[in-house]
Amino acid sequence: MQARLFLVFALACATWLAVLPAAAQSYGRPCPGGPGADELIIGMTKDLDGKTDIPLCGPRNQGDRLPETPPTIVNRYGAIAWHADADDVWMVGNQDFGGSALENHALEACNRAMGGGCKSIGSWNNSSMSIIRDRSGTLYNAWNGDDGAVRKQVLAQCSARQALPCEVIGKFGSGKSHYIPDTATVRKSYALAAWVDGAEGYDDKLYIASGYTDLQEAENAALGSCTKATGRQCKIVAFSGNGYLQTYVLGGGDHSVTAETSPKRAGEAAKVLCKQKCILQAVYDSRERRTFVHNFMTGEAQ
């Protein structure tokens, strides 16, 4: 009788031990080095200290045994705030919550630097966000999920409105803890250029106001300078925030100006816009504070 009971107990233990590997495998295996051959990442877990995320790997083939219980997925959220007069963004992330609670952290950091007026682009999780800049310094955001479909669309739409492709100036993963730009240089300095509106009264000159941290003040200064000198109605023909204005003369003798984010890009953009041979004249930095006149006949400021 005792021998029979021992045999039953032994068989039960053997059966219990036999199912252990299968049960453990159903939850995936820790794979800090990434998935092996015929494997894929099926979830995330934590290391022993509970701080570092470690991926879990399981079989790739559908015919293999897949997890019987859905693995624990750790969501990491990020949020970004920006300001119309800022040349960069403020980001907070690596949090297990999103929405307004997280967005407010980014907004607080932005408003401290800019003195208010910041806006949130929202929060996202388990992916990244790109920040794109156009030729005049305006910023756009684009989600990088779905193989970057949104980013490609935003970049294409932005680039279609200018001579050179727009620039991706930042990429922020939701797992990044934070990003704070340099407060001393983040605020844009604007340069706006105006000339006489229409052929009548045009004096071959461009009136530029640069170094202004307020866009409206720069616009008023440029238009006011033009109207005062010519007595005519004037219009804004180019502006830049933390960039450059490139003046040039087209092959047919017409005058023009374009904005870009660097002197090199400004010259390249002018050549694209000319389509044929043109003469590059002076290039002006939006950070230099002054109000002056560019004379297209001499190619210099006066």
Side-chain angles (χ1 to χ4, degrees):
M1 182 66 178
Q2 290 180 345
R4 185 176 299 171
L5 288 173
F6 177 77
L7 179 60
V8 171
F9 175 74
L11 289 172
C13 289
T15 302
W16 178 68
L17 291 171
V19 301
L20 273 181
Q25 186 180 12
S26 71
Y27 289 93
R29 69 172 185 86
C31 49
D38 297 325
E39 285 187 326
L40 48 75
I41 295 177
I42 61 174
M44 300 295 292
T45 187
K46 295 283 188 180
D47 65 1
L48 293 178
D49 64 7
K51 296 181 179 180
T52 304
D53 293 335
I54 298 177
L56 295 171
C57 291
R60 180 183 297 274
N61 297 331
Q62 294 183 356
D64 294 336
R65 184 174 182 178
L66 294 175
E68 297 172 357
T69 302
T72 301
I73 298 176
V74 179
N75 291 314
R76 296 287 89 186
Y77 290 85
I80 284 178
W82 58 12
H83 192 286
D85 292 330
D87 194 32
D88 211 332
V89 300
W90 288 257
M91 183 267 181
V92 294
N94 197 30
Q95 301 296 322
D96 57 6
F97 61 92
S100 59
L102 183 59
E103 293 167 24
N104 286 338
H105 288 306
L107 283 168
E108 288 170 3
C110 177
N111 283 322
R112 278 197 303 270
M114 299 300 293
C118 294
K119 295 182 178 180
S120 172
I121 70 170
S123 61
W124 73 98
N125 67 292
N126 300 353
S127 56
S128 61
M129 190 74 67
S130 285
I131 301 299
I132 297 170
R133 181 173 60 196
D134 72 7
R135 67 192 184 102
S136 297
T138 302
L139 301 183
Y140 305 82
N141 69 284
W143 180 55
N144 291 315
D146 291 340
D147 294 326
V150 175
R151 181 184 59 80
K152 293 174 185 176
Q153 181 181 11
V154 173
L155 194 57
Q157 291 173 346
C158 178
S159 300
R161 297 191 288 267
Q162 57 186 58
L164 301 183
C166 292
E167 302 169 282
V168 178
I169 64 169
K171 182 179 178 182
F172 300 91
S174 58
K176 184 179 180 67
S177 62
H178 67 279
Y179 172 77
I180 305 296
D182 184 357
T183 304
T185 59
V186 70
R187 188 176 291 273
K188 294 177 185 176
S189 291
Y190 292 103
L192 273 76
W195 62 28
V196 173
D197 187 6
E200 185 177 354
Y202 177 63
D203 58 353
D204 299 312
K205 294 177 181 178
L206 186 68
Y207 298 83
I208 301 174
S210 67
Y212 286 78
T213 55
D214 184 277
L215 181 62
Q216 189 61 57
E217 288 183 8
E219 179 178 342
N220 293 341
L223 289 174
S225 174
C226 178
T227 300
K228 182 178 179 180
T230 64
R232 301 284 181 173
Q233 181 176 343
C234 299
K235 65 178 181 179
I236 299 296
V237 292
F239 85 94
S240 174
N242 270 21
Y244 298 83
L245 297 180
Q246 173 72 64
T247 56
Y248 60 99
V249 178
L250 287 75
D254 292 334
H255 312 147
S256 196
V257 58
T258 190
E260 258 298 347
T261 58
S262 72
K264 180 180 179 181
R265 283 178 61 92
E268 292 174 349
K271 292 176 182 178
V272 171
L273 293 169
C274 284
K275 297 181 180 180
Q276 298 178 353
K277 183 179 180 180
C278 64
I279 301 173
L280 299 183
Q281 295 188 334
V283 59
Y284 300 107
D285 188 344
S286 67
R287 300 166 185 82
E288 185 177 350
R289 181 61 183 256
R290 59 175 177 160
T291 301
F292 60 99
V293 180
H294 174 81
N295 190 330
F296 283 108
M297 301 306 294
T298 65
E300 300 176 349
Q302 63 182 48

